[in-house]
Amino acid sequence: MATAALLLCAVSSLLSVAEAYRMPWERRMFDDEATGYGPVFEEEPQDLVYAEDNPDQRISMNCRVRANPPATIRWWLNNWEIKLLEQPDEYYSLVGGNLVITNPNKNKHAGKYVCVASNIYGTIISKEATVKFGFLDNFATEEREPVFVKEGQGVVLLCDPPNRDPYDVKFHWLYNDYPNFIDMDRRRFISQTTGNLYIAMVEASDVGNYSCFVSSPKIAKSVFSKPIPLIPQPAENPPKKYAADIKVKFPKTYALLAKNITLECFALGNPIPHIRWRKLDADLPPNYEVTMNGALLHLINVQYEDEGSYECEALNVKGKDWHRQWLYVEGPPEWASHINNTEMDVGSEHTMRCAAMGKPWPWIRWLKDGYSYGKGELKFSSLTFADSGMYQCVAENPWGTIYANAELRVTACAPTFEYNPVRKQLLGARDGRVVIECKPRAAPRPKFTWMKGKEKLGNSTRYSVWLDGSLEIFNATNDDEGVYTCFAENDRGKGNSTGTLTITDATKIVVAPSDTELMVGESTVLPCTASYDPSLDLTFIWHVDFILIDFTTQGEHFEMLLDRENSGDLLIKNALAKHSGRYYCTAQTVVDNITVTADVLVKGLPGPPGGVMVEEVRDTSVKIIWTRGSEHGLPITHHIVQSRDFYALDPDHWKEAKTSPVFLDRYATAAEVVDLYPHMLYEFRVIAVNELGPGESSWPSKKITTWDAVPVVAPTDVGGFVGINGELTITWTPIQPQYYYGKKCGYVVAFKPHENYDWGWATVTDPETRRYVHRDLYITPGTEIQVKVKAYNSKGEGPYSLSSVVYAPEGVPTEQPLDVYARPVSATEALVWWLPVFQQPPLQWVDGYQVRYWRKYDDNEAAAQRVLVGNDMNHTRLENMLPDSHYLIEVRAYNGVGLGPPSEHCEMFTRRPPPTRRLRLFKYVSWSGRWLYLSWDHIYSYWNESFIEGYKILYRKEGYRYGKLYTTGRHYIDFPYPETGDYVIEVRAHCEGGDGPIARVSVQGELAGGDAVATAQSLSLASILLFVTATMAIDL
């Protein structure tokens, strides 16, 4: 019967286009063992640009197909078939599946090509490939008119490029002779949109002949224009300055998703304008780059969120100009879900669907065997053999078209139990529910009939026949034992299979666990005892909240007790808060199972809140939301929000954040975090608190950056000095990075003589810069100059600092610093003080002080070390000195003209150095494993070393720079042994001459596999010292 059924199994594939290649008497039924399949493209034709003057005189369009039996390849041009099989062609030939065009002609061979592949299973068509004939005409032969322009003015040289296809070319300009190409800089710019050459401010050296050079990479051809003579004219005296005037303006632009785009902006003006970019109502995209001194804005890997209005601003001291235009981001179709090869039973329902993403939203259409077959979803209420074939889902929008191909086969077969017979021996529990499966292979779906012995069974209060053929018996008894046979029949044939049912005693729980409450760290037992059929084996399984308890990996907290007969009690040891939940005890045999539940509540610290997300990001505030964590048996009193910014010292450096409202009660799931820094990378977490204290923190939120804002902090300590060559040096203390408040941070430095009304200014683009030098030969001695500095970023400019006065001195300081005094701090450092020099500008003006120091008998004074400090300081620290040495110290006032007279020499002795020998450490863990004892040998000082005053001990986590610092005069110390994590203990001797070398020892927490732990109590200190000789010595 099974063999006959297999012979009836068949597959049909109706192929609309392939009908012409199948004889009328050829059957469309294929054996179930057939390995054939429809066409699959391995290579499809691609768009191609063919140069009209290409010497190759040959075009090849590739098409490679995998199919069984092999596919027949045909080609279509502009929706007309190229009939290569019926008649020869002088231009076209087929090599494999590739189409070769010899001696291509633009009028005959330009257009859209499609490859069509067919075999007995169906037909598919490739995506369209366009063939273009590229060209680049020569420039006009007329001579170009000369261009006259005054020096200091801007000029535009027009390219007027020739006709071309493709339109995308590269523009360059030649200066006088080939190949002297012009390099773009702040003054000169070549637009890749128009090809024009823009010179912001003409100089006398710009005289010469200029030619526009156009190259087309796709057809490998270049042409250049007749030269344009540029003749600069003498400028007015003094030269006239012009405000910034934007001449290169980027148009409304469409960018494709994940591609790169470049926006152009260039301005004429004198002085040369500075160009800045911004995006309205948002920051510039993260992957942007500004080149050519601001003229080009490159957006890399464009995303949909980069869409918006972009603005370029050009400014100089005479004025500014701006241009604003919209950038749209769109994308070609991409598959969100697509069709796959499918085999379905004849007569069954089937739906074919695919979905694509893109912008504009793609529309969907279908092809079957190369012909249009509808839109949207394809629904089949009752499949027939005629529905078999090759289907193509096509998604398209203005930016592209994509194809998804799949084969649909409709099959038919008589019922057979060869692969899935009814089980021969069946078991069922008394008073329970018994299901006997009947799942033959068949198409279409067969009708099912059940027999018990010779009794026919139907749907009743005791029996139910499922749709898939399975038989269900309710409230089974011993009378239900017997032989059961399933019969299946469809229009292709019939089949049957038989099994024998035996009824056993049902499994029952006789001792069930009860609801339990306990505190963290306590233990409890959940009992579970069952009765069952003695001919079977019994197994107990425990779950908590539907998660299986693995006693191998979770043995630290869970153990199954099997000391009582027919029992599987659960022991919960050293309970944690996370062990709260509903516990399921399942007693199971091969026939049936029964489950009972009990709720366990472990009271402890609150659980971590979940799902911390950041919303409504602004410049100084964000809104965060979270879900409440588990209370662990005790009500939550309030919540705490913590933040960590980019400049956190270590990963555990979290700060409590200010929120609105200030108090977050137990029900809070959202808060506004305020008083944040603009343009700062933040992450947030939430902690719940109950009467026992704060619980575990939530996972940190996704890192976000607050919006940019205009700086509000000005640089401090603004000052400066004037040198002998008219160099005005302006100094300041930069603002801290957290006050940058945005990208492209820098400084605007303003200065003017006191009697002038207008301020001169300059920009400094490095936010860490501390000075700016301005050369002005017209600064005369005695001039009072006002200076001020402010910060700026991409959002705007902040407030100026308070104005400071700098004098152009008439000479060097005439007074010497008095009462110079120094004292040693360590063997290599000292502090020095002096009385400042009286200032009476402009005659007596001091910009700062120079401190020199050298060894009295061992160093050359000319090689003395030097330290410079500002005029508001009367002390400083001297470093890199040699131990136990006799030093001379000298202080001088200085200004921009030079150094004043030296002070009297101050003499000082540095201290002796600390011992250079490293401490020898001894580590011991108490028998209880709760304490770590550390001791070390005493080091005696030599005659040329400092006396040891005590010891410093740093206890820190592995990988961290900071920790807890202890000081002691003893030779030992103890610590609680860490439970988790790796720690480092560093010990060094402390002397008046400084600190000695570091000795360190590493400690692993108990849970990380630390030192072996005994069971006795901690040793006394005397026992420890006796044990030292037997411990591990670490001498680093």
Side-chain angles (χ1 to χ4, degrees):
M1 177 67 73
T3 304
L6 281 175
L7 292 175
L8 289 173
C9 253
V11 177
S12 171
S13 180
L14 179 63
L15 310 173
S16 304
V17 178
E19 288 290 334
Y21 304 102
R22 183 178 58 82
M23 295 312 224
W25 59 84
E26 184 180 339
R27 298 184 55 182
R28 294 204 302 258
M29 306 292 292
F30 298 96
D31 191 281
D32 191 38
E33 303 293 329
T35 58
Y37 55 88
V40 178
F41 282 115
E42 293 186 335
E43 183 180 7
E44 297 185 65
Q46 304 293 324
D47 292 343
L48 183 144
V49 176
Y50 176 79
E52 292 184 351
D53 53 358
N54 192 326
D56 190 21
Q57 296 293 307
R58 188 171 179 270
I59 294 176
S60 179
M61 304 290 289
N62 296 339
C63 182
R64 188 154 47 90
V65 178
R66 172 169 50 87
N68 185 14
T72 300
I73 304 297
R74 291 173 294 136
W75 285 86
W76 291 65
L77 170 60
N78 297 330
N79 296 324
W80 290 91
E81 183 179 358
I82 303 173
K83 297 186 177 296
L84 296 174
L85 300 180
E86 289 82 356
Q87 57 188 18
D89 191 283
E90 61 178 311
Y91 296 104
Y92 295 110
S93 60
L94 201 61
V95 180
N98 302 335
L99 178 67
V100 178
I101 308 174
T102 307
N103 298 320
N105 182 285
K106 180 178 180 179
N107 296 326
K108 293 183 178 181
H109 302 131
K112 296 180 179 180
Y113 287 79
V114 172
C115 175
V116 182
S118 305
N119 72 358
I120 60 175
Y121 291 101
T123 300
I124 56 174
I125 65 174
S126 71
K127 64 180 183 180
E128 292 180 343
T130 302
V131 173
K132 290 184 177 181
F133 283 72
F135 67 92
L136 175 61
D137 290 343
N138 291 319
F139 276 92
T141 57
E142 293 82 3
E143 296 293 331
R144 301 283 186 110
E145 295 292 332
V147 176
F148 299 89
V149 61
K150 287 185 178 181
E151 295 177 15
Q153 291 184 344
V155 69
V156 180
L157 301 183
L158 302 180
C159 177
D160 191 17
N163 293 329
R164 59 199 183 272
D165 190 13
Y167 198 77
D168 184 20
V169 294
K170 297 291 184 183
F171 293 99
H172 303 276
W173 279 79
L174 297 171
Y175 178 64
N176 288 334
D177 298 315
Y178 180 87
N180 188 13
F181 289 98
I182 293 176
D183 294 326
M184 290 191 288
D185 52 26
R186 287 190 63 209
R187 225 169 38 87
R188 297 176 295 188
F189 178 76
I190 300 171
S191 171
Q192 296 302 313
T193 303
T194 63
N196 298 336
L197 171 63
Y198 300 81
I199 303 178
M201 185 181 71
V202 173
E203 298 176 351
S205 60
D206 291 327
V207 62
N209 294 319
Y210 294 79
S211 296
C212 181
F213 185 92
V214 181
S215 62
S216 177
K218 291 188 177 180
I219 64 173
K221 183 178 179 181
S222 301
V223 295
F224 58 89
S225 69
K226 290 286 187 177
I228 303 175
L230 177 63
I231 306 173
Q233 303 294 306
E236 303 172 1
N237 194 12
K240 187 177 179 180
K241 295 185 177 181
Y242 303 93
D245 182 16
I246 296 178
K247 292 298 183 182
V248 180
K249 300 179 180 181
F250 62 95
K252 180 171 66 174
T253 305
Y254 288 87
L256 286 182
L257 180 71
K259 301 295 184 181
N260 303 335
I261 192 72
T262 298
L263 305 181
E264 296 182 339
C265 182
F266 189 76
L268 311 183
N270 184 6
I272 299 172
H274 174 70
I275 298 176
R276 297 191 301 205
W277 291 86
R278 66 171 58 94
K279 182 183 179 185
L280 271 62
D281 302 326
D283 295 335
L284 284 171
N287 295 330
Y288 81 92
E289 182 181 358
V290 176
T291 61
M292 292 301 166
N293 299 287
L296 299 178
L297 173 65
H298 306 279
L299 303 182
I300 312 300
N301 190 23
V302 175
Q303 301 299 311
Y304 287 126
E305 55 267 25
D306 298 339
E307 183 173 281
S309 182
Y310 287 77
E311 177 184 281
C312 74
E313 181 184 49
L315 67 160
N316 61 12
V317 293
K318 296 299 293 181
K320 62 182 180 180
D321 191 12
W322 58 270
H323 170 68
R324 184 183 303 165
Q325 193 50 268
W326 198 268
L327 172 70
Y328 297 93
V329 180
E330 299 189 347
E334 293 182 8
W335 289 120
S337 63
H338 56 78
I339 55 177
N340 296 294
N341 293 338
T342 306
E343 183 176 300
M344 298 295 297
D345 293 344
V346 65
S348 62
E349 295 182 359
H350 183 51
T351 300
M352 300 180 72
R353 61 173 62 91
C354 57
M357 299 181 297
K359 188 177 180 183
W361 200 259
W363 59 90
I364 301 294
R365 60 186 177 89
W366 292 86
L367 302 175
K368 181 191 175 188
D369 292 330
Y371 289 95
S372 180
Y373 201 69
K375 301 177 181 179
E377 289 185 344
L378 293 184
K379 294 186 177 181
F380 303 89
S381 58
S382 179
L383 286 170
T384 65
F385 295 125
D387 295 320
S388 295
M390 297 298 300
Y391 289 81
Q392 292 180 278
C393 179
V394 184
E396 51 193 340
N397 71 4
W399 300 109
T401 303
I402 55 176
Y403 291 76
N405 308 333
E407 179 183 353
L408 172 63
R409 292 191 182 183
V410 180
T411 63
C413 157
T416 173
F417 287 91
E418 180 179 356
Y419 304 104
N420 193 21
V422 175
R423 293 178 59 184
K424 297 303 180 183
Q425 298 296 326
L426 303 164
L427 296 176
R430 186 177 294 107
D431 300 324
R433 169 175 164 269
V434 179
V435 176
I436 307 175
E437 291 186 346
C438 178
K439 296 181 178 180
R441 178 179 177 185
R445 181 188 306 161
K447 295 181 179 179
F448 295 97
T449 305
W450 278 90
M451 300 284 291
K452 180 189 176 186
K454 296 183 178 181
E455 177 187 359
K456 183 177 181 181
L457 304 178
N459 291 327
S460 66
T461 57
R462 294 289 324 285
Y463 302 103
S464 175
V465 179
W466 292 1
L467 193 62
D468 67 354
S470 299
L471 174 67
E472 182 177 7
I473 305 174
F474 303 101
N475 301 320
T477 65
N478 290 341
D479 294 337
D480 292 317
E481 292 183 337
V483 177
Y484 289 80
T485 303
C486 175
F487 294 89
E489 181 178 0
N490 64 11
D491 59 359
R492 299 280 169 171
K494 61 179 64 176
N496 65 77
S497 183
T498 299
T500 302
L501 174 64
T502 302
I503 301 300
T504 63
D505 292 337
T507 304
K508 298 180 180 179
I509 297 291
V510 294
V511 178
S514 58
D515 296 346
T516 305
E517 291 185 2
L518 68 160
M519 297 297 293
V520 169
E522 295 181 350
S523 301
T524 189
V525 174
L526 301 181
C528 189
T529 305
S531 64
Y532 64 102
D533 192 297
S535 64
L536 305 175
D537 293 327
L538 178 67
T539 302
F540 288 93
I541 302 172
W542 282 90
H543 294 76
V544 54
D545 293 333
F546 302 106
I547 299 175
L548 178 67
I549 297 176
D550 187 342
F551 293 97
T552 302
T553 59
Q554 298 175 272
E556 182 181 356
H557 295 286
F558 296 107
E559 180 182 348
M560 185 182 292
L561 305 178
L562 302 174
D563 52 348
R564 294 190 299 116
E565 185 178 2
N566 302 338
S567 296
D569 302 343
L570 177 65
L571 170 62
I572 304 176
K573 303 178 291 184
N574 189 22
L576 303 177
K578 66 180 181 180
H579 295 146
S580 295
R582 176 159 293 181
Y583 284 73
Y584 298 80
C585 175
T586 301
Q588 178 176 291
T589 65
V590 295
V591 176
D592 65 343
N593 63 75
I594 187 168
T595 300
V596 292
T597 64
D599 291 328
V600 174
L601 178 61
V602 182
K603 296 181 178 180
L605 295 172
V612 179
M613 297 177 61
V614 182
E615 297 181 341
E616 300 179 15
V617 179
R618 298 184 178 87
D619 52 358
T620 60
S621 66
V622 299
K623 180 182 178 182
I624 65 170
I625 60 173
W626 65 89
T627 57
R628 293 173 57 199
S630 174
E631 294 191 344
H632 291 167
L634 296 172
I636 294 173
T637 58
H638 63 281
H639 290 85
I640 299 172
V641 177
Q642 293 182 331
S643 66
R644 181 172 63 188
D645 61 35
F646 178 79
Y647 295 101
L649 295 178
D650 58 63
D652 288 336
H653 190 197
W654 290 86
K655 297 179 181 178
E656 188 167 337
K658 293 183 180 179
T659 60
S660 176
V662 176
F663 181 77
L664 305 176
D665 60 25
R666 63 178 298 190
Y667 301 108
T669 57
E672 184 179 10
V673 184
V674 298
D675 293 348
L676 301 176
Y677 292 117
H679 187 65
M680 181 62 69
L681 185 69
Y682 279 102
E683 56 184 336
F684 302 91
R685 69 181 187 184
V686 182
I687 299 175
V689 183
N690 66 11
E691 62 185 55
L692 298 180
E696 184 182 352
S697 65
S698 68
W699 282 97
S701 68
K702 182 180 178 181
K703 293 181 180 180
I704 59 97
T705 301
T706 49
W707 289 359
D708 292 3
V710 176
V712 298
V713 176
T716 57
D717 303 328
V718 177
F721 56 89
V722 179
I724 57 177
N725 296 324
E727 287 186 347
L728 170 61
T729 300
I730 303 171
T731 61
W732 62 90
T733 298
I735 62 176
Q736 295 297 315
Q738 56 264 40
Y739 297 112
Y740 291 169
Y741 283 12
K743 295 180 287 293
K744 302 296 182 182
C745 185
Y747 301 103
V748 177
V749 183
F751 45 87
K752 74 178 183 68
H754 179 69
E755 65 275 5
N756 285 12
Y757 180 77
D758 292 331
W759 289 80
W761 57 273
T763 57
V764 178
T765 58
D766 185 357
E768 297 183 359
T769 300
R770 294 175 172 269
R771 62 169 53 202
Y772 170 75
V773 179
H774 173 71
R775 182 180 294 273
D776 191 341
L777 299 178
Y778 299 101
I779 297 178
T780 59
T783 302
E784 177 184 335
I785 301 173
Q786 293 181 325
V787 297
K788 58 184 179 180
V789 184
K790 66 179 177 182
Y792 75 86
N793 61 22
S794 58
K795 296 294 287 186
E797 299 173 353
Y800 273 111
S801 64
L802 296 176
S803 296
S804 297
V805 176
V806 176
Y807 290 93
E810 296 183 352
V812 299
T814 58
E815 295 186 13
Q816 64 180 20
L818 303 175
D819 295 341
V820 179
Y821 167 73
R823 71 171 178 85
V825 177
S826 67
T828 59
E829 296 180 339
L831 293 175
V832 60
W833 293 264
W834 61 89
L835 289 179
V837 171
F838 176 72
Q839 301 194 64
Q840 187 178 2
L843 299 177
Q844 176 77 357
W845 176 252
V846 175
D847 290 324
Y849 297 92
Q850 174 189 271
V851 182
R852 295 197 309 152
Y853 53 101
W854 66 96
R855 289 187 296 173
K856 183 174 182 179
Y857 301 109
D858 302 302
D859 292 338
N860 187 341
E861 180 179 350
Q865 299 185 70
R866 290 172 170 80
V867 177
L868 297 178
V869 297
N871 60 7
D872 58 342
M873 302 286 290
N874 71 328
H875 63 276
T876 188
R877 179 182 290 267
L878 308 181
E879 299 176 338
N880 299 320
M881 306 177 82
L882 295 177
D884 197 17
S885 299
H886 186 183
Y887 273 86
L888 295 181
I889 303 173
E890 171 194 282
V891 183
R892 289 187 178 195
Y894 73 88
N895 59 25
V897 178
L899 294 167
S903 68
E904 295 182 358
H905 289 172
C906 171
E907 300 191 26
M908 185 210 73
F909 289 88
T910 54
R911 292 174 174 167
R912 294 177 179 177
T916 59
R917 297 168 301 288
R918 203 181 302 273
L919 296 172
R920 206 160 57 115
L921 302 182
F922 302 93
K923 178 181 68 171
Y924 173 66
V925 181
S926 69
W927 289 352
S928 66
R930 300 194 177 190
W931 292 93
L932 171 68
Y933 299 102
L934 197 68
S935 62
W936 54 89
D937 289 339
H938 178 65
I939 294 180
Y940 294 93
S941 303
Y942 295 153
W943 66 270
N944 60 345
E945 295 177 335
S946 297
F947 177 75
I948 295 178
E949 298 176 346
Y951 300 92
K952 293 181 179 179
I953 302 97
L954 179 64
Y955 185 71
R956 63 178 176 83
K957 205 167 185 179
E958 182 74 47
Y960 287 65
R961 295 177 56 192
Y962 303 97
K964 194 167 185 180
L965 182 67
Y966 302 87
T967 58
T968 181
R970 301 177 180 178
H971 300 161
Y972 55 85
I973 193 171
D974 54 37
F975 303 95
Y977 200 91
E979 292 186 2
T980 59
D982 296 339
Y983 287 82
V984 174
I985 304 175
E986 299 178 346
V987 185
R988 59 167 64 181
H990 175 63
C991 313
E992 66 173 6
D995 295 335
I998 297 174
R1000 59 173 57 88
V1001 61
S1002 298
V1003 180
Q1004 283 188 316
E1006 294 178 4
L1007 298 183
D1011 302 83
V1013 178
T1015 56
Q1017 298 298 318
S1018 303
L1019 294 180
S1020 65
L1021 179 59
S1023 300
I1024 299 166
L1025 296 178
L1026 289 174
F1027 192 77
V1028 163
T1029 57
T1031 59
M1032 175 181 63
I1034 301 176
D1035 192 358
L1036 301 176

